[in-house]
Amino acid sequence: MKCRVCGETASIALRSHKTAFCDTHFLIFFEKRVQTTIRRYGLIRAGDRPIVAVSGGKDSLSLWALLQRMGIAADGIYVNLGIGDYSRVSLEKIKAVADAIGRKVHIFHVPATFQRDITEVAKVLRRAPCSACGMIKRYVMNKICIEKGYNLLLTGHNLDDEAAALFGNVLYWKKEYLWKKDISLEEDEGHLSRKAKPFFLCSEREVAAYAIISGIDYIYEECPFSKGAKTITYKNILGSIEESSPGTKLMFIKGYLKELEEIKRSSPHEGFRGSNAGTGYCGACGYPSGGGLCGYCRTLEKLEIPYSAEFEEYG
Ligand code: AMP
Ligand code: FES
Ligand code: ZN
Ligand code: ZN
């Protein structure tokens, strides 16, 4: 197969786009697509001060490096969950990219604040590790934005993540989540920063190819607690549909965004601002909560640890 642009031997075929590229032209194609997504959905606006949530995986590290290449300077935030070698190696990869692009990263260490790793925190809360981890991540990411004046939190969620989540929500008609998976969420002034997912329309395979071709060293392992069995099943099902009908995943997600735009246009009420709008504020720390103490403060209280949320700064 030949590269669509230069006619040299192609290194990657993109069946969903009915095309193929050599390394150089794939990088150009990929960056252009992300740039178009950012512009089309107004993800990054003039005057924004973005921060990237970096996990050490291919998605977030590629996003961080790609933004730098596009001339969008962004610092990073990493939440160290204290999961043995997985967390240690993740941080090493993050620091290497931080050094390479000359940006700093704010690091929140779960074990330093909670005096135990995320699995032990979860046990005390009687929750699954990733449920406790999600709550802590949301809290500290929001806190760093508000405290340090970043008005936009960018994450590396990709097309496959979003399609699997949407598939699950449609399959079980989880109406409470169905319309809350937008490509961006508006800010709740002074309490929650804006959020956006620039890789929303990029498949996992494309992002992995981008990372490898551009020499970004990332951690291959996924967090041992991150993906539920159901998500993996949905990804496999969507993968086989994609195999026989290339482009289906992209159509599914683009159709969702189009539908969401129409709903927002016809009923621009609060409900469709997504999950970013707080319903109440924590009596202890003032950050958003469903009412009473927020999950973060409740956890500290349960563990009889005084409030703290310290960050280490690297770079
Ligand atoms: P996941 O839910 O693990 O697929 O992660 C989705 C996105 O959340 C990643 O692309 C990152 O942007 C962000 N993220 C996940 N884990 C962490 C972490 N420990 N620290 C900072 N950001 C994270
Ligand atoms: Fe949530 Fe690992 S425990 S990503
Ligand atoms: Zn080429
Ligand atoms: Zn609180």
Side-chain angles (χ1 to χ4, degrees), residues 11-68:
S11 53
I12 182 164
L14 303 176
R15 289 178 66 208
S16 54
H17 299 281
K18 296 190 182 70
T19 191
F21 294 107
C22 68
D23 283 1
T24 309
H25 291 114
F26 171 73
L27 294 184
I28 296 171
F29 165 83
F30 185 87
E31 289 178 2
K32 222 186 240 172
R33 283 198 63 231
V34 176
Q35 208 157 13
T36 307
T37 305
I38 290 174
R39 221 175 284 136
R40 158 74 178 79
Y41 295 95
L43 302 187
I44 303 175
R45 305 166 191 165
D48 274 345
R49 196 164 167 248
I51 187 167
V52 181
V54 283
S55 64
K58 63 181 182 320
D59 305 296
S60 51
L61 289 185
S62 295
L63 177 61
W64 204 16
L66 183 152
L67 291 174
Q68 183 76 12

Side-chain angles (χ1 to χ4, degrees), residues 144-163:
I144 200 79
C145 288
I146 306 288
E147 267 185 13
K148 302 278 180 186
Y150 300 103
N151 70 325
L152 173 62
L153 178 72
L154 300 170
T155 55
H157 292 92
N158 62 44
L159 177 68
D160 295 61
D161 297 330
E162 299 304 315

Side-chain angles (χ1 to χ4, degrees), residues 46-239:
D48 274 345
R49 196 164 167 248
I51 187 167
V52 181
V54 283
S55 64
K58 63 181 182 320
D59 305 296
S60 51
L61 289 185
S62 295
L63 177 61
W64 204 16
L66 183 152
L67 291 174
Q68 183 76 12
R69 279 169 66 106
M70 280 171 56
I72 299 170
D75 293 331
I77 159 85
Y78 171 59
V79 179
N80 165 20
L81 301 159
I83 307 174
D85 278 354
Y86 169 75
S87 297
R88 188 183 52 76
V89 176
S90 299
L91 183 53
E92 276 171 16
K93 310 280 182 197
I94 291 166
K95 285 181 172 173
V97 174
D99 291 342
I101 66 174
R103 301 303 309 178
K104 71 174 158 223
V105 56
H106 303 275
I107 306 162
F108 178 83
H109 298 280
V110 168
T113 300
F114 291 91
Q115 298 165 15
R116 45 186 62 69
D117 69 26
I118 193 66
T119 57
E120 288 156 355
V121 173
K123 257 185 228 155
V124 174
L125 296 177
R126 294 168 193 268
R127 287 164 79 164
C130 214
S131 150
C133 139
M135 178 270 290
I136 292 173
K137 278 197 282 207
R138 275 192 299 278
Y139 185 88
V140 298
M141 285 178 192
N142 191 52
K143 189 170 171 75
I144 200 79
C145 288
I146 306 288
E147 267 185 13
K148 302 278 180 186
Y150 300 103
N151 70 325
L152 173 62
L153 178 72
L154 300 170
T155 55
H157 292 92
N158 62 44
L159 177 68
D160 295 61
D161 297 330
E162 299 304 315
L166 179 60
F167 190 68
N169 289 340
V170 172
L171 202 57
Y172 293 99
W173 286 111
K174 290 187 185 166
K175 287 192 190 166
E176 69 277 27
Y177 302 122
L178 190 57
W179 299 111
K180 292 186 174 176
K181 304 287 284 177
D182 207 347
I183 191 167
S184 69
L185 295 171
E186 285 307 317
E187 70 169 337
D188 181 13
E189 221 180 321
H191 295 285
L192 283 169
S193 56
R194 217 167 85 234
K195 293 179 183 154
K197 306 168 186 170
F199 284 173
F200 210 85
L201 303 177
C202 303
S203 74
E204 206 158 302
R205 182 169 162 265
E206 286 162 17
V207 180
Y210 181 81
I212 291 166
I213 296 171
S214 50
I216 295 162
D217 187 20
Y218 61 88
I219 181 159
Y220 294 116
E221 290 81 41
E222 297 232 351
C223 169
F225 310 105
S226 70
K227 298 275 184 288
K230 273 191 175 170
T231 308
I232 295 170
T233 308
Y234 299 155
K235 281 194 174 180
N236 289 340
I237 292 170
L238 290 167

Side-chain angles (χ1 to χ4, degrees), residues 139 281-289 292-298 307:
Y139 185 88
Y281 298 103
C282 173
C285 71
Y287 280 78
S289 81
L293 287 186
C294 69
Y296 186 92
C297 289
R298 239 183 299 127
Y307 180 87

